[in-house]
Amino acid sequence: MTSLLTPRDDYRGSGLVFPDGFTFGSATASYQIEGAAAEDGRTPSIWDTFSKTPGRVWNGDTGDVACDHYHRVDEDLDLMSDLGLEAYRFSIAWPRIVPAASGEVNQAGIDFYSRLVDGLLERGIRPVATLYHWDLPQYLEDAGGWTSRATTDAFERYAEIMGTALGDRVHTWTTLNEPWCSAYLGYGQGGHAPGRHEPASALSAVHHLNLAHGRALQALRATSTGDPDYSVTLNFHVLRGQGDGAAEAMRRIDALANRAFTGPMLRGEYPADLLEDTASVTDWGFVQDGDLATIAQPIDVLGVNYYSTATVRLWDGVSPKQQNDGHKGAAGGTAWPGSDQLVEFVEQPGPYTAMGWNIAPEGLEELLVSLSEQFPEQALMVTENGAAFEDEVAADGAVHDVERTDYLRRHFTAAHRAIERGVDLRGYFVWSLLDNFEWGYGYAKRFGIVRVDFDDLARTVKDSGLWYRELIRTRTVEG
Ligand code: IFM
């Protein structure tokens, strides 16, 4: 079939130069790469428990060893340097820092991240540290997890500890990564740790994560002696609608998935339509006086994670459902109670990545422009974008991941177009530096620009990594 796309629609830009000051980085997360799960005082997180529960993670995979980054940190730092990364976004494993309910601080955990930060700075790479990328200490989940307000007390204290330990050197602090996943996948849909199926708990988790974000920002600001930037990373739903009621379906999911976080964090209020839509699930009685002011701390940069779009339609709860993609469908999805009708996530046109997610670079441009219109004063940073594909190792040992390079090229083109349209976009972090533990998919899905052989843990820079190195060197997107 002849393509109807014009070269501009194709998003395969060439000769696009990124402005000076634009930061090129790559990202990982603690549980996905570190391993050393029971070493140097670390205790289990909810992901250790979840991955060891039969049937929860593909193939029974766990993060016990992962990429063994904990022991190979120097090699990985050299790899980042060889790629020319200007910044590295990593997360800190809370159960390495405060391993027990007693609250005692584990110096070995702090030392590990301190060494990582120093190693980055020695190589001229800016450290971008996330406090929470889903590895909640199990002892906190046992006491209620994110449904308990006490978890926000513990998070504030953890933020104080990290601000004191690293706040002289970290370039950017990020409080939370994708609280949407923590709340809705963890407590509502159950596909992520701790695996609970409780709609009211999911909304209470939304609020406590928002509150934890605000309290952590206060604690980080009070303890950091350097001049860091402060941020949070959200994964936005870029929505398309289908059928009668498309606009209503999109409005509902936008409220649940996007505005439930941007409302309190950036405007100091929960959207009225969100409260109405969810009235049959909760009365939001867990929101206390003063919480919204605490949550709405200023941030220097808003982290944006983007992979694909999502298509929704109203569903009567009776007729056969269309495909409901596990990742995208869980924000409200077919199981979400509300008014008289549910919202269903439906199949989208391809092409797809190995995750089954549609490749839609125009969604990234649209999202960045839309956020900059909604929050004109807010600088933005793409803190995650990338793709899983079925990589193969060629006879010469190389990984010719043409599809991933093409995906990245199209999304960098989208980011560049957003900048041309006036968006204050400060940088872009490719997900991920390394193939790693992809949550419920275990090691079956590879997102890295560096291959990890999970038998001998050897690292091989893929062709996409070489392409990215050239982009960073020249600051220019080429074919
Ligand atoms: O691997 C995850 C990451 O931990 C959070 N954002 C999405 C990525 C791909 O699924």
Side-chain angles (χ1 to χ4, degrees):
M1 195 175 94
T2 317
S3 170
L4 297 176
L5 297 177
T6 66
R8 182 167 172 86
D9 292 330
D10 195 46
Y11 281 75
R12 286 195 174 115
S14 203
L16 306 177
V17 181
F18 278 86
D20 288 343
F22 185 87
T23 300
F24 294 98
S26 188
T28 63
S30 46
Y31 190 71
Q32 295 182 271
I33 66 162
E34 284 178 4
E39 279 182 53
D40 290 345
R42 181 188 181 279
T43 56
S45 74
I46 54 175
W47 270 97
D48 294 270
T49 308
F50 190 75
S51 63
K52 286 174 186 164
T53 307
R56 294 301 208 168
V57 172
W58 180 84
N59 194 39
D61 290 348
T62 73
D64 280 358
V65 177
C67 307
D68 198 30
H69 168 75
Y70 191 79
H71 297 118
R72 292 164 197 252
V73 60
D74 293 323
E75 177 187 349
D76 290 340
L77 282 163
D78 287 342
L79 203 52
M80 295 177 216
S81 183
D82 289 347
L83 287 170
L85 294 189
E86 296 173 339
Y88 173 56
R89 175 176 178 256
F90 61 96
S91 78
I92 296 166
W94 190 353
R96 277 194 202 287
I97 306 299
V98 190
S102 64
E104 206 170 313
V105 176
N106 179 33
Q107 190 58 42
I110 292 186
D111 291 347
F112 171 72
Y113 295 106
S114 190
R115 200 153 75 79
L116 172 63
V117 165
D118 286 343
L120 290 167
L121 293 174
E122 279 159 22
R123 290 165 179 81
I125 303 169
R126 293 196 282 278
V128 176
T130 301
L131 288 181
Y132 187 70
H133 195 127
W134 309 352
D135 37 4
L136 183 72
Q138 182 61 45
Y139 65 83
L140 287 174
E141 175 57 26
D142 295 342
W146 287 112
T147 67
S148 164
R149 197 173 172 93
T151 299
T152 71
D153 300 335
F155 194 66
E156 179 181 2
R157 178 157 179 276
Y158 163 51
E160 263 166 27
I161 296 164
M162 294 320 302
T164 306
L166 305 183
D168 55 337
R169 286 160 289 158
V170 159
H171 180 275
T172 303
W173 283 119
T174 303
T175 53
L176 307 174
N177 176 74
E178 301 183 353
W180 175 88
C181 294
S182 305
Y184 294 112
L185 299 185
Y187 292 85
Q189 180 252 15
H192 275 197
R196 286 160 66 172
H197 299 272
E198 303 158 12
S201 297
L203 293 170
S204 141
V206 165
H207 179 63
H208 292 130
L209 283 153
N210 283 330
L211 184 59
H213 156 79
R215 294 183 67 175
L217 283 177
Q218 291 175 325
L220 289 168
R221 280 202 165 94
T223 50
S224 294
T225 55
D227 186 22
D229 281 348
Y230 298 91
S231 70
V232 63
T233 281
L234 303 176
N235 57 319
F236 291 93
H237 279 55
V238 178
L239 294 162
R240 314 281 181 243
Q242 205 184 75
D244 295 341
E248 171 63 5
M250 287 164 65
R251 182 199 61 72
R252 286 196 208 172
I253 298 304
D254 181 47
L256 272 173
N258 299 332
R259 290 182 286 116
F261 301 101
T262 55
M265 288 179 181
L266 301 177
R267 299 198 195 284
E269 61 187 16
Y270 281 106
D273 58 338
L274 171 71
L275 304 183
E276 270 167 42
D277 291 348
T278 55
S280 65
V281 180
T282 176
D283 62 3
W284 292 77
F286 38 74
V287 181
Q288 296 186 6
D289 284 353
D291 283 1
L292 286 159
T294 302
I295 297 168
Q297 301 298 311
I299 53 172
D300 299 296
V301 63
L302 173 63
V304 177
N305 288 1
Y306 174 83
Y307 290 89
S308 63
T309 56
T311 303
V312 292
R313 68 168 189 169
L314 289 184
W315 179 58
D316 57 16
V318 178
S319 52
K321 286 185 268 183
Q322 294 188 27
Q323 178 206 319
N324 185 355
D325 170 297
H327 182 79
K328 289 289 168 196
T334 52
W336 191 260
S339 53
D340 52 339
Q341 284 188 305
L342 305 175
V343 177
E344 175 185 20
F345 284 70
V346 301
E347 189 168 354
Q348 307 192 81
Y352 307 102
T353 69
M355 297 295 284
W357 300 346
N358 62 310
I359 300 173
E362 69 282 3
L364 177 59
E365 180 183 355
E366 178 184 322
L367 173 61
L368 294 171
V369 169
S370 155
L371 287 170
S372 114
E373 283 169 2
Q374 291 176 65
F375 310 104
E377 306 304 320
Q378 194 62 68
L380 305 176
M381 179 94 95
V382 174
T383 39
E384 281 183 30
N385 175 247
F389 287 105
E390 307 287 347
D391 296 333
E392 281 175 23
V393 182
D396 60 358
V399 181
H400 304 302
D401 55 339
V402 181
E403 292 165 303
R404 183 174 294 103
T405 305
D406 185 66
Y407 179 100
L408 292 176
R409 179 180 171 196
R410 292 179 196 234
H411 287 79
F412 271 104
T413 299
H416 193 274
R417 287 186 188 173
I419 294 171
E420 282 181 328
R421 290 173 67 182
V423 174
D424 183 5
L425 182 65
R426 301 281 170 91
Y428 192 118
F429 290 73
V430 172
W431 184 269
S432 174
L433 176 68
L434 302 171
D435 289 339
N436 59 46
F437 176 82
E438 178 51 29
W439 308 113
Y441 297 90
Y443 297 99
K445 305 292 178 193
R446 294 175 176 273
F447 276 88
I449 52 173
V450 175
R451 176 181 173 83
V452 176
D453 180 322
F454 290 109
D455 291 326
D456 63 9
L457 298 165
R459 276 78 161 136
T460 306
V461 178
K462 301 178 191 176
D463 284 3
S464 58
L466 300 174
W467 176 87
Y468 192 38
R469 180 166 72 183
E470 203 50 19
L471 167 55
I472 299 171
R473 192 182 68 76
T474 61
R475 311 188 70 76
T476 307
V477 173
E478 298 289 9

